[in-house]
Amino acid sequence: SGRGAIMSSDSEAAAHRPYSEKDVPVVLGTAIEEGLVGIGKEEVAIFFDMDSIKETCNELHRAFPKNVMHTFAIKSCPLPALMRFICANGHGMEAASAAEMMLAIRCGCPPEKIMFDSPAKTVGEIEHALTLGVQLNLDNFDELDRVTRARERLAQRGVKSRSRVAFRFNPLVGGGTIAALSVSTSKSKFGVPFTPEIKERLIDSFAKLDFLDGLHL
């Protein structure tokens, strides 16, 4: 629904129960009774299994060490109600644009749990993210230069950025079955190709810049 209503329970059994056609009239009937859909109201609706989403979040937290931050790709479903629900269940947000970054902020996600990794960040977007304390994943050396200069400008204004900054590299493991979707060839658009020359340049950058503290593979 456009109102983004959430109906869920705490039942793990319900989260793992296979989908059944019997669920359709129950869910739709409840939505009609709640006034979410119907004639003169919302005529189109998408229903999410919130129990399943909650249990998936819990399973990820159980499977990985506590210092691992799981993030939800906002572009996959930028609905505020869903984003708030996922944040409330311990996940962060992955933003592929400045608009998504600000949507995550408005949905109450802490800045330090937002990862901004667009491959085409502007100078203004980078400076804003650094001011907020959002994590940045850099896609190329041009962005690294922009971050360096932006941090210098902020420092001149007495602002010390809390943002974590990582660098994305392409391991060049080759294409997959679907060539159009492959992101690890020499011509892939994400990250710098991990050639011997790039490797040395990355090592040099990490040695010189103390704000670099991660790699995005």
Side-chain angles (χ1 to χ4, degrees):
S1 162
R3 283 187 257 177
I6 298 293
M7 294 179 290
S8 64
S9 72
D10 293 322
S11 170
E12 291 188 15
H16 290 287
R17 179 174 59 80
Y19 163 78
S20 169
E21 290 186 2
K22 295 180 181 179
D23 295 331
V24 176
V26 175
V27 173
L28 186 57
T30 301
I32 292 173
E33 289 177 3
E34 294 287 334
L36 300 175
V37 294
I39 298 175
K41 301 182 183 296
E42 297 286 349
E43 297 181 356
V44 178
I46 299 175
F47 296 93
F48 294 91
D49 187 338
M50 308 311 293
D51 295 311
S52 180
I53 292 173
K54 179 178 181 178
E55 182 55 22
T56 298
C57 291
N58 290 337
E59 286 184 345
L60 283 169
H61 289 305
R62 288 192 293 265
F64 289 85
K66 292 183 178 181
N67 63 337
V68 172
M69 182 178 75
H70 302 281
T71 60
F72 171 73
I74 299 171
K75 60 180 174 288
S76 67
C77 191
L79 295 179
L82 182 63
M83 291 170 61
R84 285 192 289 268
F85 183 85
I86 292 174
C87 284
N89 281 278
H91 275 44
M93 294 282 129
E94 182 266 331
S97 68
E100 290 181 359
M101 176 178 69
M102 296 313 301
L103 178 60
I105 292 288
R106 288 197 293 271
C107 286
C109 186
E112 65 273 14
K113 297 189 74 171
I114 299 172
M115 181 189 303
F116 182 28
D117 56 8
S118 161
K121 308 175 194 70
T122 68
V123 172
E125 290 170 350
I126 287 174
E127 188 164 322
H128 192 41
L130 290 172
T131 303
L132 291 171
V134 167
Q135 176 175 323
L136 283 167
N137 280 350
L138 308 183
D139 205 71
N140 50 65
F141 287 100
D142 288 336
E143 286 194 345
L144 179 58
D145 290 339
R146 292 172 187 170
V147 168
T148 302
R149 291 195 299 270
R151 286 175 58 89
E152 292 172 351
R153 288 193 299 273
L154 290 174
Q156 290 173 0
R157 301 202 300 264
V159 178
K160 182 176 176 58
S161 176
R162 297 175 288 105
S163 295
R164 298 191 63 184
V165 182
F167 204 111
R168 184 170 188 173
F169 71 94
N170 173 0
L172 297 175
V173 296
T177 304
I178 304 175
L181 300 180
S182 296
V183 294
S184 195
T185 67
S186 60
K187 296 183 179 180
S188 296
K189 61 182 178 179
F190 296 118
V192 292
F194 200 56
T195 61
E197 295 80 10
I198 292 296
K199 177 182 177 181
E200 291 303 315
R201 192 172 175 185
L202 282 172
I203 292 174
D204 184 61
S205 296
F206 273 81
K208 292 179 178 178
L209 303 170
D210 60 0
F211 61 81
L212 278 176
D213 68 352
L215 290 170
H216 180 188
L217 176 60

